[in-house]
Amino acid sequence: MEGIQHKTVVSANGMNIHIAEKGDGPLVLLIHGFPELWYSWRHQIMYLADHGYRAVAPDLRGYGDTTGAPVNDHTKFSIIHLVADMIGLLDAITNEGEKVVVVGHDWGAIVAWNLCTFRPDRVKALVNMSVPFVRWNPDGDVAQLMRDTYGEDHYMVRFQEPGEIEAEVANMSTSTFLKKFLTYRDLEPLYISKGKGFRHSPNDVPVTLPPWLLEADLEYFSSQLENTTITGGINYYRALPV
């Protein structure tokens, strides 16, 4: 990752946002998903910088080297907070009136959709992956919808009770959790059975990594999640009804 610079940006809303960036030119904001980091965009950062863009990838609230969010309070991880973080970051690293290209994946796509909705004046173009746009429903409860549709073992339902999924991860190890989560490619919903781990791949079943995911990559993700705990990322799901 030669030439990628790492900085901490202090935003107006009190967050210390770690970013990885490289290049000069129009700014491309790369927003990661769960359970990831700026590191997910390492190849895209290099490519964009080599093609005349300034690529910026933050660690989102609750992840990596970004600090300032109370991990023990999931209500501080609502979409309002997440979008505010991105606006605070843009206020700090762009010129007045500058619009940026936004690229989101997974939870990053949800943040990006809402960034465009709340502040279209800050966005030049949008590229999103894996999560379609869903209109806000003031009476909606996504976790309850998943419970009613898929049952208690659906991963989003399992993420709701504080401490419960953290215990599951501790039982299987952070590295194993990441391997099984990031390599899941079945068409069926993802289930994590209580006390048993992933339904599609029990804890004692080894995982063969695909060519795009190296052991060294897993080690980096694992070390970061072990330092910050997985609760920060899980809080996004706990804040869904908020």
Side-chain angles (χ1 to χ4, degrees):
M1 302 299 104
E2 183 177 351
I4 294 180
Q5 296 181 328
H6 294 267
K7 301 176 182 177
T8 297
V9 177
V10 180
S11 67
N13 63 340
M15 293 293 294
N16 304 304
I17 302 175
H18 166 254
I19 64 170
E21 70 170 324
K22 185 179 182 182
D24 296 301
L27 195 151
V28 180
L29 179 65
L30 304 162
I31 311 177
H32 70 77
F34 174 87
E36 304 174 48
L37 300 160
W38 75 268
Y39 189 80
S40 299
W41 300 108
R42 60 198 179 282
H43 302 301
Q44 288 78 14
I45 291 173
M46 302 297 288
Y47 182 91
L48 289 166
D50 288 343
H51 288 78
Y53 294 91
R54 180 189 178 191
V56 175
D59 283 335
L60 295 185
R61 174 179 291 241
Y63 285 95
D65 293 320
T66 289
T67 62
V71 178
N72 60 346
D73 183 359
H74 71 267
T75 66
K76 297 301 189 290
F77 288 76
S78 72
I79 195 63
I80 301 295
H81 292 87
L82 303 177
V83 172
D85 291 344
M86 296 300 96
I87 293 299
L89 173 61
L90 292 179
D91 285 345
I93 65 173
T94 63
N95 298 318
E96 185 175 355
E98 181 181 353
K99 293 187 175 184
V100 304
V101 176
V102 180
V103 182
H105 170 249
D106 187 67
W107 258 104
I110 298 174
V111 176
W113 285 123
N114 284 277
L115 173 59
C116 292
T117 301
F118 298 156
R119 293 298 302 273
D121 58 304
R122 305 305 297 270
V123 180
K124 180 187 299 183
L126 171 67
V127 179
N128 263 346
M129 293 170 280
S130 90
V131 179
F133 176 72
V134 178
R135 291 183 180 275
W136 181 62
N137 179 359
D139 300 316
D141 184 332
V142 177
Q144 188 59 48
L145 175 62
M146 294 299 106
R147 178 179 284 108
D148 294 342
T149 306
Y150 300 112
E152 295 293 333
D153 284 350
H154 187 269
Y155 79 99
M156 291 177 65
V157 178
R158 291 298 317 283
F159 285 0
Q160 295 305 306
E161 185 63 31
E164 189 172 285
I165 200 65
E166 287 90 338
E168 295 276 5
V169 173
N171 184 51
M172 70 178 77
S173 84
T174 302
S175 177
T176 298
F177 174 83
L178 287 172
K179 284 182 180 180
K180 293 180 183 293
F181 193 94
L182 293 175
T183 60
Y184 185 73
R185 291 296 180 271
D186 292 354
L187 295 179
E188 295 297 317
L190 179 63
Y191 296 102
I192 305 176
S193 300
K194 192 170 185 177
K196 299 179 181 179
F198 288 94
R199 187 184 297 181
H200 74 282
S201 180
N203 293 349
D204 58 351
V205 175
V207 176
T208 300
L209 294 181
W212 51 265
L213 188 62
L214 305 179
E215 283 289 350
D217 300 328
L218 256 299
E219 289 177 9
Y220 183 81
F221 282 116
S222 296
S223 65
Q224 290 287 298
L225 279 179
E226 286 169 357
N227 287 337
T228 61
T229 78
I230 201 169
T231 302
I234 297 293
N235 279 341
Y236 289 48
Y237 296 90
R238 292 174 180 157
L240 278 171
V242 177

